[in-house]
Amino acid sequence: TITAEDGDNLNGPHTGLGEVFTFTIVTPEELLAQLYDKELNLRKRFEQIRREVQAVRDDLELHLEQHRERVRLATESANPDQLPQRQDPIRRLTLAITASAERSLHAVGKTSSESRAVEVSFSEIRDEMVNNRVDSTLKLQRIDDRILRPLNAINETSYPDLHRQIGLFRLANTNNSDPTTAITNSIVSAESLLARMDTVLANMREREGFDEMIKALQDVYDRLKENRDATEQKQQQQLFDILGIGN
């Protein structure tokens, strides 16, 4: 905080207190451990996002099969005698396929926003490393080249493409057109997005083993320090006992 005092010698001096900012001072090792915990939480969030995209892909494949079933029923319904008993299944399938398009669009929009938030959070981790001078060329290259850039490609390219393909799927339903091509292209786009996500997750997990090793070494160091302190204290006590004085 900042305190200011004026030069009023008659009625003063008057003082003013600025805004208070609180900082927690930690060692570089403690800061890196905190940043690792943040990264671990972000990785778990991204794993959940990936599961939701996988669910979209599976839903699209399911409803592609349902569309084919609808086409088969409609073809059989060309026979006037079979038309009444086919109409209700065709109507149910049409509603399910329409709902799939709407549901998929919503899910893609939701996970897209969450994926962009993960990218922003990783950028903040990078800035925190640089601002606190606990960065290194290898650490920054890992975040820049293997996490941030692939995440940016996912958010700027893969998600918009998937959203566009599913939009064409919905449009085909609205226009009562054949959505086969649109659904197929949506599945291909979703699989491409999932492949990119898997690459990013592999890069996120790459650090896990290294950080676990660092933590294990830190634990060993802490135990050795505790044993050394306990040994020194015991030696001092023995010396005091020999000299016949209290500690």
Side-chain angles (χ1 to χ4, degrees):
T1 188
I2 296 177
T3 301
E5 182 178 291
D6 64 21
D8 187 350
N9 296 323
L10 297 177
N11 301 310
H14 306 96
T15 60
L17 185 65
E19 185 177 356
V20 176
F21 297 91
T22 302
F23 296 91
T24 301
I25 308 301
V26 298
T27 64
E29 292 75 18
E30 289 173 319
L31 176 60
L32 287 172
Q34 292 175 13
L35 294 179
Y36 171 67
D37 289 339
K38 289 182 181 179
E39 183 173 329
L40 181 60
N41 290 331
L42 289 174
R43 193 194 80 195
K44 291 179 179 178
R45 283 176 59 189
F46 198 67
E47 287 173 339
Q48 177 60 33
I49 294 169
R50 196 246 182 242
R51 285 192 290 269
E52 293 179 17
V53 173
Q54 179 68 51
V56 169
R57 185 256 178 229
D58 294 344
D59 189 66
L60 289 168
E61 188 170 52
L62 170 65
H63 286 86
L64 178 59
E65 293 301 318
Q66 289 189 340
H67 168 65
R68 289 168 178 162
E69 175 66 11
R70 180 177 62 173
V71 171
R72 185 186 67 80
L73 291 173
T75 302
E76 292 179 357
S77 297
N79 184 340
D81 296 333
Q82 296 181 337
L83 183 60
Q85 62 266 32
R86 300 291 182 181
Q87 284 183 334
D88 191 53
I90 291 173
R91 182 182 61 83
R92 289 198 302 268
L93 287 170
T94 299
L95 290 174
I97 294 167
T98 301
S100 172
E102 297 294 337
R103 184 169 57 248
S104 297
L105 272 179
H106 174 74
V108 168
K110 171 181 173 291
T111 57
S112 175
S113 298
E114 293 173 348
S115 177
R116 191 169 296 277
V118 170
E119 179 187 351
V120 170
S121 296
F122 263 100
S123 181
E124 291 173 351
I125 288 177
R126 183 194 190 282
D127 291 342
E128 198 164 353
M129 290 172 60
V130 173
N131 292 338
N132 289 280
R133 297 182 180 179
V134 294
D135 59 308
S136 68
T137 300
L138 289 177
K139 290 176 183 176
L140 295 183
Q141 283 181 342
R142 172 183 172 271
I143 291 182
D144 288 340
D145 298 338
R146 310 187 70 177
I147 295 179
L148 283 177
R149 286 195 181 94
L151 275 176
N152 185 259
I154 284 173
N155 296 325
E156 297 296 332
T157 304
S158 298
Y159 262 114
D161 179 65
L162 178 57
H163 194 276
R164 180 171 58 255
Q165 297 298 341
I166 296 177
L168 293 174
F169 168 28
R170 182 175 67 172
L171 181 63
N173 281 334
T174 302
N175 295 336
N176 293 319
S177 302
D178 184 359
T180 301
T181 299
I183 300 176
T184 302
N185 290 340
S186 297
I187 293 172
V188 171
S189 181
E191 289 175 344
S192 175
L193 172 57
L194 289 168
R196 283 185 164 182
M197 286 181 158
D198 287 338
T199 299
V200 172
L201 282 171
N203 292 333
M204 289 180 180
R205 295 186 184 112
E206 185 183 68
R207 184 182 167 189
E208 185 175 17
F210 175 77
D211 283 301
E212 287 180 348
M213 181 181 68
I214 293 297
K215 283 191 173 183
L217 290 174
Q218 184 67 41
D219 290 340
V220 171
Y221 173 79
D222 291 339
R223 288 196 300 269
L224 288 174
K225 186 175 183 300
E226 290 175 1
N227 291 335
R228 184 187 63 192
D229 293 341
T231 300
E232 290 179 352
Q233 185 176 4
K234 186 175 182 180
Q235 290 174 342
Q236 290 177 357
Q237 183 61 50
Q238 290 174 343
L239 179 60
F240 291 141
D241 291 340
I242 293 172
L243 297 176
I245 59 176
N247 58 352

